[in-house]
Amino acid sequence: MSNTNDPTKSTDESPPLSTAPPAGDIENQAPAPGRTSGIFRRWNREDFLNRGSLGLRGLGLLFSLLAFIIMASNNHPDWEDFNKYEEYRYVLAIAVVSTLYTGAQALRQVHELSTGKQLFSERNLAFFDFFSDQIVAYLLLSAASSAVPLTDRMREGADNIFTDSSTSAISMEFLAFLALAFSAMISGYKLSNRSYI
């Protein structure tokens, strides 16, 4: 008959060997599935949003500065002086405000990215970024749209360096508006994803 204790017969019913490290081995533990990859994705997304916001504010700074320089240097003899027209003075004033705002925000973000420390509390900063980006963006759009009708009327009579410079400054303000509008969208996304709201 058959002997169940026969050592010559091999049995495949041995318990499976555990490949996991012992519970006390902290250094060699495998990460829990889904937890760390989610954290890394969140960090990457936040880093991407911070760098994207910095890039957009940098573009806003560049376009605002160009609008300021172009409009401020648009002085020509006779009627071709930007200072004689209220709409162009408004374009210049908003270009200055936008340049100062985007420059300060870009410097703040560069400081935060390089040191890892925030100058203000995260909650106050999220609200400030969201509202101030929108305010400055709409001021830029307002200034650009107020000067377009005047420039169109002038271009019907004479198309010269003065009207070309005015058109360039208006275009730069519109591009600065687009950059800050997208930055406001990023700020709104960051604000809506915070748990303290």
Side-chain angles (χ1 to χ4, degrees), residues 1-180:
M1 321 254 168
S2 87
N3 185 3
T4 58
N5 292 333
D6 187 11
T8 59
K9 292 185 179 181
S10 65
T11 60
D12 290 333
E13 297 178 17
S14 61
L17 296 175
S18 174
T19 58
D25 191 5
I26 304 272
E27 293 178 7
N28 294 323
Q29 285 186 352
R35 286 188 181 174
T36 55
S37 62
I39 292 171
F40 288 132
R41 278 194 307 253
R42 181 175 172 208
W43 286 346
N44 287 338
R45 181 177 50 239
E46 287 178 3
D47 188 47
F48 177 74
L49 289 174
N50 288 337
R51 291 180 189 272
S53 179
L54 175 61
L56 287 170
R57 286 191 176 128
L59 284 174
L61 173 64
L62 174 70
F63 293 137
S64 297
L65 186 62
L66 285 173
F68 167 68
I69 291 170
I70 292 169
M71 189 55 79
S73 63
N74 200 9
N75 290 329
H76 303 285
D78 200 17
W79 59 272
E80 298 175 340
D81 183 10
F82 83 91
N83 208 16
K84 293 182 180 180
Y85 303 98
E86 185 177 338
E87 294 88 346
Y88 292 155
R89 289 194 309 258
Y90 183 45
V91 166
L92 182 69
I94 297 304
V96 169
V97 168
S98 177
T99 301
L100 293 175
Y101 168 74
T102 54
Q105 284 284 60
L107 285 176
R108 178 193 56 85
Q109 281 188 301
V110 165
H111 176 267
E112 287 176 1
L113 287 174
S114 63
T115 63
K117 297 178 184 177
Q118 290 189 345
L119 298 174
F120 306 104
S121 72
E122 191 173 348
R123 179 177 187 217
N124 293 339
L125 198 57
F127 281 113
F128 177 76
D129 284 349
F130 179 63
F131 291 116
S132 58
D133 280 351
Q134 284 189 32
I135 290 169
V136 174
Y138 290 121
L139 283 173
L140 284 165
L141 186 62
S142 169
S145 63
S146 72
V148 166
L150 174 66
T151 306
D152 283 344
R153 281 194 310 270
M154 285 184 179
R155 287 180 81 99
E156 288 173 1
D159 190 10
N160 54 26
I161 187 104
F162 178 70
T163 56
D164 290 343
S165 296
S166 300
T167 304
S168 298
I170 293 167
S171 300
M172 292 300 112
E173 283 212 349
F174 183 71
L175 292 174
F177 158 74
L178 288 177
L180 282 179

